């Protein structure tokens, strides 16, 4: 098996290091990860400056690695289009330090790396340890090792990744879940710097908006279960699409001048 490992915590983070060492004997391992922590980088890519890549120099005959001064999505793009000799059979992003559940997956560099994988047709899995306190990656590594033969047997649908969250401690089992809904409260902390100017620090406490829904990833992790969510990248709302088609938005090219919204000319005049 040819496996591409990446993350958003940086190539020297503990999570990706223990995973790399554990997977060595499963096949050809390629590690391509950011040179520093890029958590919450989302799916951003670097297009306004050059990307620098250097070999990580791991002391193993089965592992090759590169350090990139870019984002997780940059790492996957570089890997697939420039660095790997052949397309990998699997991409694993992680093991992230901290949970990636619910709405947070949209900000997550860990999940975005897996999304970049499936965009390019590579089966992809994102793995996160759902705690920041005294992290122990053992269970997460064991779970990934157990998942590998299953992933080799099964077929993931095109455009779908697995987002896995491992609870701290000994899990009570594993649950297939859906994404929950998290909002953060007290997000912006306004502080004052030594020169008397304001600055802002974004953090906040998560609030589970679907607290009474037993099927969410948020709930599974809270109850001590490993959470496995199939996440797809097609954000289209198919149900609403049909209703939207019935809105009166049927401008054709010929009608367009007449169909110009009333008030547009007025606005332009006001500005002039
Ligand atoms: Mn991270």
């Amino acid at each position: 098996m040819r496996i591409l490992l990446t993350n958003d915590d940086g190539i020297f983070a503990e999570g990706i290091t223990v995973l790399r060492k554990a997977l060595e004997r499963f096949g050809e391992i390629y590690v391509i990860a950011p040179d520093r922590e890029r958590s919450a980088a989302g799916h951003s890519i670097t297009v306004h400056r050059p990307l620098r890549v250097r070999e990580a120099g791991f002391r193993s005959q089965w592992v090759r690695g590169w350090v990139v001064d870019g984002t997780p999505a940059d790492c996957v793009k570089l890997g697939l289009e420039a660095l790997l000799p052949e397309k990998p059979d699997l991409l694993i992003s992680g093991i992230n330090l901290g949970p990636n559940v619910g709405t947070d997956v949209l900000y997550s560099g860990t999940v975005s790396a897996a999304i970049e994988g499936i965009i390019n047709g590579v089966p992809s899995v994102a793995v996160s340890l759902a705690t920041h306190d005294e992290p122990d990656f053992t269970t997460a590594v064991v779970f990934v090792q157990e998942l590998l033969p299953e992933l080799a047997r099964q077929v993931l649908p095109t455009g779908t990744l697995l987002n896995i969250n491992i609870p701290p401690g000994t899990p009570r089992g594993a649950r297939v879940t859906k994404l929950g809904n998290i909002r953060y409260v007290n997000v912006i902390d306004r502080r004052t710097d030594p020169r008397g100017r304001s600055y802002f620090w974004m953090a906040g406490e998560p609030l589970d908006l679907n607290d009474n829904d037993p099927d969410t990833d948020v709930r599974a992790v809270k109850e001590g279960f490993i959470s496995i969510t199939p996440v797809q990248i097609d954000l289209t709302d198919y149900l609403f699409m049909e209703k939207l088609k019935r809105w009166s938005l049927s401008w054709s090219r010929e009608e367009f001048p007449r169909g110009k919204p009333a008030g547009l000319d007025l606005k332009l005049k006001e500005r002039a």
Side-chain angles (χ1 to χ4, degrees), residues 7-10 37-40 95-100 108-110 132:
N7 74 351
D8 76 356
D9 292 341
E37 183 174 353
R38 301 304 301 261
S39 292
I95 300 165
N96 186 62
L97 176 60
N100 275 309
S108 166
T110 306
H132 290 276

Side-chain angles (χ1 to χ4, degrees), residues 2-197:
R2 192 176 303 114
I3 303 175
L4 171 56
L5 289 187
T6 188
N7 74 351
D8 76 356
D9 292 341
I11 198 158
F12 302 112
E14 192 185 349
I16 198 168
T17 304
V18 291
L19 191 59
R20 164 170 60 86
K21 289 180 176 164
L23 295 186
E24 264 185 13
R25 66 197 118 114
F26 280 85
E28 255 173 88
I29 308 295
Y30 297 91
V31 185
I32 308 176
D35 59 356
R36 70 201 82 166
E37 183 174 353
R38 301 304 301 261
S39 292
H43 208 110
S44 63
I45 51 170
T46 305
V47 290
H48 296 295
R49 62 167 177 85
L51 280 168
R52 302 290 177 180
V53 178
R54 62 184 161 86
E55 279 241 32
F58 296 126
R59 280 188 224 101
S60 163
Q61 53 177 312
W62 298 286
V63 184
R64 257 192 102 179
W66 293 272
V67 191
V68 178
D69 69 343
T71 65
D74 288 333
C75 292
V76 177
K77 276 184 186 293
L78 276 168
L80 298 182
E81 298 200 23
L83 301 173
L84 261 63
E86 276 174 273
K87 195 172 173 175
D89 303 303
L90 178 69
L91 178 152
I92 305 177
S93 181
I95 300 165
N96 186 62
L97 176 60
N100 275 309
V101 288
T103 344
D104 281 357
V105 300
L106 294 170
Y107 305 99
S108 166
T110 306
V111 176
S112 290
I115 289 175
E116 192 57 41
I118 57 170
I119 286 174
N120 290 282
V122 178
S124 301
V125 177
V127 188
S128 305
L129 179 64
T131 183
H132 290 276
D133 309 324
E134 297 175 33
D136 179 354
F137 291 93
T138 315
T139 307
V141 168
V142 171
F143 188 74
V144 171
Q145 283 176 329
E146 273 189 29
L147 187 72
L148 283 183
E150 192 64 16
L151 279 171
R153 271 194 297 272
Q154 309 284 359
V155 179
L156 276 176
T158 313
T160 296
L161 63 94
L162 295 183
N163 185 41
I164 298 172
N165 281 273
I166 314 285
T170 308
R172 293 167 63 195
R175 266 190 205 164
V176 173
T177 57
K178 64 177 184 183
L179 292 177
N181 194 355
I182 299 176
R183 275 310 125 71
Y184 283 82
V185 288
N186 306 322
V187 174
I188 306 291
D189 198 347
R190 188 191 192 119
R191 301 177 182 185
T192 307
D193 75 12
R195 293 180 184 166
R197 293 173 305 198

